[in-house]
Amino acid sequence: MNFQCLPMKFSRENGLDTRCGEIVLMNEKGRSWKLTLKRKRSCGTMYITRGWRSFCSANGLRAGSSFTFKLIKKGGTLALRLSPKKREDCSSEANEIESLSTEPESDEESSQDEKKIKKHRSTWKATASQYQNRFVTLTLKPSNPEKYLLFLPLRFTRWHGINDETKMTLLDKNGVKWSTDLRSGKTSDKIRLVGGWQEFFKSNCVRTGESIILKLIWEGDKSCVLKFCSKVEA
């Protein structure tokens, strides 16, 4: 898939959630690529598209690798610069963002931007590809069938911008699809599955206490699939 999502919290804190349009990505040598920054209408997630795959290919960013971007200036055309990789250890690497621009800036503008950058959080953990954080683990607890409640991890739904307007389907190990609805909690942002998930667990022979790994696959801005991958070995 030819896009890269930005964490919603990062987008909001840096004012990127209203900055649709052209964005420039630069590598360590200064070569630049013009891409597009867009916003998913269904959930508000910002994502970079129209050229992301070419940028990754040209700079050796493969699925599962890690990278660091720096955001130098927020005014004018946004631009992110790829920083040199310091080490191969992926366990502690993060994407750093501070703001970028290909346009000249005055001393006053530069000073104002530096203050804004210091004020907001400018880092997030991620891998270098569109496959980042697309796997989620769900556990069938004894209370789930009794109360008919199954929640998705809050961190997972926030990262991908999944809400009660998102259309979701569950895909079992035999390729059978199970429809489910998403509902948000009355007192929290947690998203729960309504209908379909119990049959989905049964079709995959999941017993109480067992956990399974699912992969998120988007089918447009508003629809997605959680595909069964495997059981978690005890």
Side-chain angles (χ1 to χ4, degrees):
M1 296 174 69
N2 190 27
F3 69 88
Q4 170 70 41
C5 292
L6 300 180
M8 294 185 73
K9 185 176 181 180
F10 169 79
S11 298
R12 292 195 190 103
E13 289 184 348
N14 289 280
L16 303 184
D17 52 344
T18 58
R19 298 293 302 275
C20 295
E22 185 177 275
I23 185 170
V24 174
L25 299 186
M26 300 171 62
N27 63 13
E28 309 96 304
K29 298 179 181 179
R31 181 184 172 188
S32 62
W33 285 257
K34 291 183 179 180
L35 292 84
T36 302
L37 182 64
K38 301 183 72 174
R39 183 175 185 271
K40 289 187 178 182
R41 295 180 181 179
S42 60
C43 57
T45 299
M46 303 301 295
Y47 63 99
I48 300 172
T49 186
R50 294 183 180 177
W52 172 253
R53 185 183 298 160
S54 298
F55 177 81
C56 289
S57 177
N59 292 282
L61 300 180
R62 299 179 180 179
S65 62
S66 300
F67 59 88
T68 299
F69 273 118
K70 284 194 175 182
L71 180 65
I72 297 178
K73 185 178 179 293
K74 297 179 183 178
T77 302
L78 291 172
L80 304 179
R81 184 175 59 205
L82 184 65
S83 298
K85 204 170 183 181
K86 294 182 180 180
R87 58 181 179 177
E88 293 299 322
D89 182 13
C90 298
S91 61
S92 61
E93 291 182 4
N95 295 337
E96 262 183 31
I97 289 243
E98 297 176 34
S99 207
L100 262 187
S101 177
T102 54
E103 301 176 2
E105 59 181 275
S106 65
D107 293 337
E108 182 179 354
E109 289 176 334
S110 179
S111 177
Q112 291 176 349
D113 282 337
E114 286 180 6
K115 291 180 181 179
K116 291 179 181 178
I117 290 169
K118 290 179 180 179
K119 181 179 179 181
H120 299 299
R121 179 183 177 186
S122 61
T123 63
W124 86 81
K125 293 181 180 179
T127 57
S129 79
Q130 65 274 16
Y131 301 104
Q132 62 186 29
N133 298 334
R134 302 187 80 180
F135 295 90
V136 62
T137 300
L138 297 181
T139 302
L140 185 60
K141 300 178 181 179
S143 59
N144 293 146
E146 294 177 3
K147 297 182 179 180
Y148 298 95
L149 294 176
L150 180 65
F151 290 91
L152 293 173
L154 188 57
R155 184 177 181 181
F156 177 76
T157 55
R158 282 181 174 174
W159 178 273
H160 294 286
I162 296 173
N163 55 36
D164 51 10
E165 294 183 1
T166 305
K167 305 296 182 183
M168 180 174 284
T169 302
L170 305 174
L171 184 64
D172 67 23
K173 63 181 181 181
N174 299 311
V176 178
K177 291 185 175 181
W178 303 87
S179 298
T180 186
D181 293 322
L182 301 181
R183 303 275 176 81
S184 56
K186 295 181 179 179
T187 58
S188 69
D189 295 330
K190 284 187 175 181
I191 300 296
R192 64 187 176 94
L193 281 66
V194 179
W197 65 267
Q198 289 177 301
E199 293 79 5
F200 171 75
F201 272 81
K202 288 180 181 178
S203 68
N204 290 297
C205 303
V206 181
R207 299 178 181 178
T208 301
E210 292 184 328
S211 300
I212 58 174
I213 298 174
L214 306 175
K215 179 181 179 181
L216 176 66
I217 302 173
W218 282 99
E219 297 183 331
D221 290 345
K222 298 181 180 181
S223 301
C224 65
V225 174
L226 280 183
K227 178 182 178 181
F228 175 85
C229 292
S230 64
K231 284 186 179 181
V232 177
E233 295 183 6

